[in-house]
Structures are given as structure tokens and as C-alpha cells.
Amino acid sequence: MSENILKISGLKIAYGGIQAVKGIDLEVNKGELVTLIGANGAGKTTTLKAITGTLPGCKVEGQIHYVGSPIIGTNSFELVKKNLAMVPEGRGVFTRMTILENLLMGAYTRNDKAGIQADIDKWFEVFPRLKERSSQLAGTLSGGEQQMLAMARALMSHPKLLLLDEPSMGLSPIMVEKIFEVVRTVSAQGVTILLVEQNAKLALQAAHRGYVMDSGLITMSGNAKDMLDDPKVKEAYLGEG
């Protein structure tokens, strides 16, 4: 039986009088790459923020279980200690720190020096551009390089679940392809990923399973490859049909 890493049941999120998420169910099993696709404003990022406890002033109802434990109301820094990591929309790198310092910040909950160095070497192999620029300030990197750094920094915490929020946003087409190549590489190494992405085609091509979110509701879910061939998905999200 698959091991549940994340299980969301009946999740509702309200900003004031606006119901942004209207009672959704979603799960991610160990080793899976699951994508949540949908138009802008569908509630995808709000869902990720509910998982990470970064929705101040919102009413959150329902259940979110992470590795078997309920986490609604848990502080985000406690979730990092529980190996839940998120790469936020907009990347959020420490611009006045070097690439290497950013990676060390990703490992701040760890104290295994040899293991940390081994992981730096490992992710430098996956992200050779970062290795070449390891002493460069993160703020001087291109958008794509910052996205790679944000991903590598999150991976330094040994996440049991990695949340990726719109990793391709604002990047050139060639860099979008590179980022998805990295997402697939990271997934192939056994990292469990929940990917929120507007580029539905690339997301479904990379994922094992997918969910479609529309106006705060999950309107479709299933095997990602099957969804790529679904006429409704093609018409609404792939510009086909």
C-alpha cells in the first residue's frame, strides 16, 4: 500500500467573506510527483500556503495531514523541522548572500557537517550553473538561476515533501525546459513533490498524477498521462481541441 505523505480532506479557505478554496480533497503518496494545475486565481497557491501555515488572517477549515499528523495551525518553522519545504512563487532567495550561503541556510536545521557538504556537492552536480557561480551574490543571478538556487536550497533540508509554486513563472522558454528537466531529475531521485504550475502541458508530462483546480474546487483528477489526452483538459489548459 502506498504511504501517504500528504492528505487533504474537505479543505476550505476564506479571506474575509471570499471563499477561495471550497472543500477540496487531494493526496500525495511517497515518491510521487503530483501536479495541481488550473487558471490564475483558481486557489492553487492559497492551497499551498494553507499546507505551509503561511496564511495569516484566513479561516481554514477541513483537515491537512502530513506524514500522518494533522498540521493545520502548526507554525511554518516547525514544519521545516519536520522536513516540509516549499519553493515559493517568486523564488525568495537571499539576494545579499552568495549561492553557497543560500544553500547552507537551506540546511540550517541540520548539524551533520559531512552530510551537508555531500549534499552541496550532489546538488552542484544537478545544478552545474550554481557550482560555477558559488561565490556570486544570489541577487545578481538571472531568474532561471535564482529558481535553480531556490530549489537546491529547499532540497538541502532533506524534504519528505517538496512544494513547488509556479517554478516556470517569468522564465524564458529555454529556461522553463531546463527547470522541468531538473524537476524530473529530482523526482527520479525519490523526492516526493507537489507541483503547482500554470504550464499544464509540461506539468502533466512530468507528473505521475494530476489535479485540475477551478474556482476553488477540484474539477478533475487522475493519471497525468491520461489527463494529457483528455479533451476537456486539452481545450481548457493545453490550447488544443
Side-chain angles (χ1 to χ4, degrees):
M1 185 172 165
S2 299
E3 183 187 336
N4 251 167
I5 297 293
L6 179 72
K7 189 172 179 67
I8 295 174
S9 308
L11 181 66
K12 296 180 182 177
I13 305 167
Y15 294 93
I18 300 167
Q19 196 78 38
V21 177
K22 302 169 183 173
I24 66 166
D25 299 333
L26 181 152
E27 61 182 55
V28 183
N29 297 314
K30 187 173 183 180
E32 278 193 311
L33 197 178
V34 174
T35 188
L36 180 59
I37 63 172
N40 216 351
K44 307 184 303 295
T45 293
T46 301
T47 300
L48 288 192
K49 288 184 173 179
I51 297 167
T52 54
T54 51
L55 275 178
C58 287
K59 185 179 181 186
V60 180
E61 299 174 85
Q63 294 186 320
I64 302 175
H65 282 81
Y66 167 65
V67 201
S69 301
I71 58 170
I72 288 179
T74 305
N75 288 319
S76 50
F77 63 85
E78 293 292 346
L79 294 172
V80 174
K81 292 178 187 173
K82 295 176 188 287
N83 305 97
L84 176 62
M86 176 164 162
V87 178
E89 186 181 326
R91 304 178 267 278
V93 297
F94 299 112
T95 55
R96 296 188 180 189
M97 291 184 177
T98 66
I99 287 173
L100 187 56
E101 287 166 342
N102 267 271
L103 295 181
L104 290 170
M105 286 297 287
Y108 86 97
T109 57
R110 299 169 55 186
N111 53 20
D112 55 324
K113 281 189 177 178
I116 290 169
Q117 186 56 55
D119 280 345
I120 288 171
D121 294 342
K122 172 183 173 180
W123 297 119
F124 273 165
E125 276 187 37
V126 175
F127 302 94
R129 278 178 192 239
L130 299 184
K131 184 175 185 178
E132 292 162 14
R133 298 163 169 75
S134 61
S135 59
Q136 197 169 317
L137 293 181
T140 65
L141 301 175
S142 72
E145 290 162 351
Q146 287 190 10
Q147 186 64 54
M148 290 178 192
L149 177 57
M151 289 172 66
R153 183 183 62 188
L155 289 161
M156 287 298 296
S157 68
H158 278 186
K160 288 178 182 165
L161 176 62
L162 177 64
L163 306 175
L164 297 176
D165 191 7
E166 303 283 7
S168 75
M169 183 174 279
L171 302 183
S172 65
I174 194 163
M175 192 51 81
V176 169
E177 292 284 354
K178 177 64 182 168
I179 289 296
F180 270 94
E181 188 183 307
V182 169
V183 169
R184 289 191 293 269
T185 299
V186 170
S187 173
Q189 295 196 8
V191 178
T192 307
I193 299 171
L194 176 57
L195 165 68
V196 160
E197 179 57 60
Q198 278 189 356
N199 191 322
K201 187 170 188 176
L202 285 175
L204 288 170
Q205 284 173 344
H208 300 110
R209 290 189 303 111
Y211 291 86
V212 175
M213 195 167 191
D214 186 21
S215 303
L217 293 166
I218 298 289
T219 56
M220 187 186 297
S221 64
N223 178 286
K225 302 294 178 279
D226 294 341
M227 289 172 72
L228 272 170
D229 294 327
D230 187 281
K232 288 184 201 162
V233 175
K234 279 185 171 183
E235 186 178 354
Y237 302 105
L238 306 180
E240 300 173 21

